[in-house]
Amino acid sequence: MSALAWARYSRPMSVTTSRPVLSYAFARQHGVIAVPDADGGVVLAHKAQTSRDALIEARRVVGHSVSRETLSPEAFEQQLSGLYAQADLAGASEDALGAPQDLSALADGLPRTSDLLDSSDDAPIIRLINGILQEAIRSRASDIHIEPYEERLAVRLRIDGTLSEALSLPARLAPALTSRVKVMSRLDIAQKRIPQDGRFSLNLGERAIDLRVSTLPSRHGERVVMRILEKDNQRMALEELGMDPDVQATFAASLARPNGIILVTGPTGSGKTTSLYAALSRLNDGSRNILTVEDPVEYALDGIGQTQVNNAVGMSFAAGLRAILRQDPDVVMVGEIRDPETADIAVQASLTGHLVLSTVHTNSAIASVARLRDMGVEPFLLASTLTALVAQRLVRRLCGECKTPYTPTPAELAELGLTLKKPTFYKPVGCPKCANVGYQGRLGIYEIVPMDETLRGMIHAGATESVMAAHAFKTRQTLLGDGAQTVAAGLTSSDEVLRVCRSDEV
């Protein structure tokens, strides 16, 4: 079935939408789903190997004339997950308004990995939390926030970096909903006065999902945040990050060096982990011993040894890094350099012939030099070990269906540092495809500072950040410059770029 056809068949369902005619178990086992079309009919979408008997039975259950479409296995799984996930959310909030359930008895019998779509348990709270998870995954949300207030319980989803409220429920549902999440993530449901962290796994059709769970006591109950980690999403190649060709070539050349420190900087949620994983995938050719120490290990990378920080038992970044250096590594990835001890060990690892990749929370690439100096690393050591500094941000991508062209004002061009004769920018409008937001998906903007002899001399001499930046960006794009080019190409709006770059560059 074509993408255009699926756009027509798979329109978002309202909360009054009934469940699919065919059960999930039947659809999954036999490879056939019944999808309503725009004319009130039904399309039987199926895999090529679906048996004739299964199609006859599906036609009998549907009860009226149908058309048929054959899908590839990947397209079928995507539509199976989307159709049944949307249907489970429909009406879930109404079902949950019954009496709160005692969920503690579920802890012992709950499987570690369960398929939400195949659940036969109709307990209202369970259906509600399953529906919330399904809607979040279907909407490409990165986080789910469950926030209790005096009069209501708010459920918010972070989609493309922006929070929006998805559900507002009676406040009395908060204890039961929180308990259900804590049961799923193996947390102590009786302990409500201290923060807890956990995780659990689930399947949505063929999609494997990990969720990191954090609870925090608040005035009106426990706040819960769930980070959604879809295992296939982080397996990106360096070429898929969306870097400018010059930035990508410089980054790849830095990775080809046998030793040195490569730092990726940016605020939380700017895609640093994705970039590091893409770099590790480039290096993971079987000829190197690659080890990481992370907090936490978000995605499993085959062929790479990954160690998780556990401060409760003294396994800090520094302790983990010190230990893995005795494992004969060629490449070391440290999730974050956040203290002087870790910084010092990373520098020593680089000096002894290791390639070290890590992140630092700074606003620009050059600012990471000052950050490491503040941690006590000697300037002469930084000058001899740093290989490349990368800063990045994520901006929302304009929806291709509804973006509208306009002519920017001279002031807007000046803010972006552009001098175009006949510029055309685009702004978001909103349509059903993008849920009336105007944006769909995200893309990265980058700046990279490779070390040259002049810059090493500046670092050794303790030059100021502004002096080093003036030299570094004589011939290279800054974050704002890269973002401006993205705006000029019609991929995002000027508001988006200025939102993530204004405080640093303007």
Side-chain angles (χ1 to χ4, degrees):
M1 183 178 293
S2 68
L4 181 61
W6 273 120
R8 181 161 59 93
Y9 294 141
S10 302
R11 60 191 186 279
M13 300 182 181
S14 68
V15 292
T16 59
T17 304
S18 59
R19 292 187 62 82
V21 177
L22 302 176
S23 72
Y24 173 76
F26 179 88
R28 177 76 181 279
Q29 179 179 351
H30 297 286
V32 57
I33 54 177
V35 185
D37 66 16
D39 302 321
V42 173
V43 176
L44 286 183
H46 60 89
K47 297 180 180 179
Q49 63 269 33
T50 300
S51 68
R52 182 170 178 271
D53 290 343
L55 292 173
I56 292 174
E57 177 63 14
R59 186 187 296 268
R60 183 191 68 78
V61 173
V62 170
H64 52 81
S65 60
V66 297
S67 57
R68 287 171 47 187
E69 295 282 355
T70 303
L71 300 179
S72 67
E74 295 78 11
F76 179 83
E77 292 297 343
Q78 182 181 4
Q79 295 305 320
L80 175 72
S81 299
L83 178 66
Y84 285 84
Q86 292 180 40
D88 269 13
L89 187 65
S93 59
E94 294 181 5
D95 292 341
L97 299 181
Q101 304 293 310
D102 179 8
L103 302 175
S104 58
L106 296 172
D108 292 337
L110 190 72
R112 290 189 176 274
T113 300
S114 57
D115 192 331
L116 290 180
L117 299 180
D118 203 19
S119 175
S120 60
D121 195 336
D122 287 333
I125 289 292
I126 295 176
R127 288 208 307 275
L128 173 61
I129 193 62
N130 286 359
I132 291 170
L133 292 170
Q134 292 159 11
E135 175 66 7
I137 295 166
R138 186 190 66 81
S139 302
R140 301 173 295 103
S142 60
D143 300 88
I144 303 170
H145 292 238
I146 300 175
E147 304 167 339
Y149 298 103
E150 185 175 5
E151 300 292 338
R152 67 190 183 97
L153 175 67
V155 178
R156 297 198 292 171
L157 305 180
R158 187 177 295 278
I159 302 172
D160 295 334
T162 304
L163 276 171
S164 60
E165 188 165 309
L167 209 55
S168 182
L169 301 167
R172 63 187 175 85
L173 291 178
L177 199 63
T178 302
S179 294
R180 170 62 181 168
V181 174
K182 292 171 76 173
V183 165
M184 296 172 74
S185 48
R186 298 296 199 280
L187 300 180
D188 185 353
I189 63 173
Q191 182 55 266
K192 302 179 181 180
R193 296 178 295 175
I194 61 172
Q196 297 187 66
D197 294 305
R199 66 189 304 157
F200 63 95
S201 300
L202 55 87
N203 296 324
L204 193 66
E206 292 296 314
R207 299 164 65 185
I209 310 292
D210 281 340
L211 290 103
R212 289 206 327 250
V213 179
S214 172
T215 69
L216 179 70
S218 68
R219 181 180 179 186
H220 299 292
E222 291 179 281
R223 295 172 63 97
V224 178
V225 175
M226 291 180 275
R227 167 65 56 88
I228 300 172
L229 305 169
E230 189 164 356
K231 294 179 181 178
D232 291 334
N233 277 359
Q234 290 300 96
R235 296 173 186 172
M236 298 181 69
L238 201 60
E239 296 75 15
E240 297 173 326
L241 293 178
M243 290 179 171
D244 176 84
D246 181 56
V247 173
Q248 181 184 315
T250 304
F251 192 32
S254 300
L255 292 172
R257 297 184 56 142
N259 61 285
I261 299 177
I262 300 174
L263 293 178
V264 181
T265 74
T268 301
S270 60
K272 299 187 299 296
T273 300
T274 301
S275 295
L276 285 178
Y277 280 8
L280 292 178
S281 297
R282 164 68 69 96
L283 297 169
N284 187 24
D285 58 3
S287 65
R288 300 176 179 90
N289 183 21
I290 304 176
L291 299 176
T292 76
V293 53
E294 306 172 56
D295 183 21
V297 175
E298 294 190 358
Y299 296 92
L301 298 175
D302 187 53
I304 294 176
Q306 296 172 272
T307 302
Q308 179 154 325
V309 165
N310 186 351
N311 289 314
V313 296
M315 184 63 169
S316 63
F317 273 121
L321 178 55
R322 190 181 293 109
I324 64 177
L325 288 176
R326 295 192 290 269
Q327 292 282 311
D328 185 31
D330 298 293
V331 179
V332 173
M333 193 271 271
V334 186
E336 181 185 348
I337 295 178
R338 61 173 64 157
D339 58 72
E341 187 179 7
T342 306
D344 182 62
I345 300 171
V347 168
Q348 295 302 321
S350 171
L351 289 172
T352 53
H354 303 87
L355 180 62
V356 180
L357 282 67
S358 190
T359 70
V360 180
H361 282 98
T362 58
N363 289 329
S364 67
I366 288 294
S368 58
V369 175
R371 179 67 185 276
L372 291 175
R373 286 194 302 214
D374 290 342
M375 289 185 186
V377 181
E378 294 290 346
F380 74 90
L381 291 176
L382 287 178
S384 59
T385 56
L386 289 177
T387 300
L389 309 172
V390 180
Q392 68 179 83
R393 300 289 188 276
L394 292 178
V395 294
R396 291 181 292 175
R397 186 189 295 269
L398 284 168
C399 174
E401 296 292 322
C402 63
K403 65 180 183 181
T404 300
Y406 72 98
T407 301
T409 64
E412 193 172 359
L413 288 171
E415 279 191 294
L416 293 172
L418 292 175
T419 54
L420 304 175
K421 290 184 178 179
K422 294 182 179 179
T424 299
F425 287 3
Y426 290 83
K427 60 184 177 182
V429 177
C431 67
K433 182 179 179 181
C434 61
N436 294 313
V437 176
Y439 298 95
Q440 192 170 44
R442 289 191 287 180
L443 54 92
I445 59 175
Y446 302 86
E447 68 180 23
I448 187 167
V449 178
M451 291 294 116
D452 58 24
E453 290 307 314
T454 302
L455 197 53
R456 292 185 191 279
M458 290 180 174
I459 295 174
H460 192 287
T464 64
E465 191 176 321
S466 59
V467 171
M468 289 188 289
H471 169 75
F473 297 112
K474 279 182 181 178
T475 58
R476 292 190 171 274
Q477 291 275 26
T478 62
L479 269 175
L480 181 62
D482 192 31
Q485 295 302 319
T486 306
V487 173
L491 299 177
T492 190
S493 67
S494 60
D495 288 343
E496 271 294 289
V497 170
L498 293 173
R499 176 178 65 86
V500 300
C501 294
R502 188 189 302 271
S503 61
D504 307 329
E505 312 251 4
V506 176

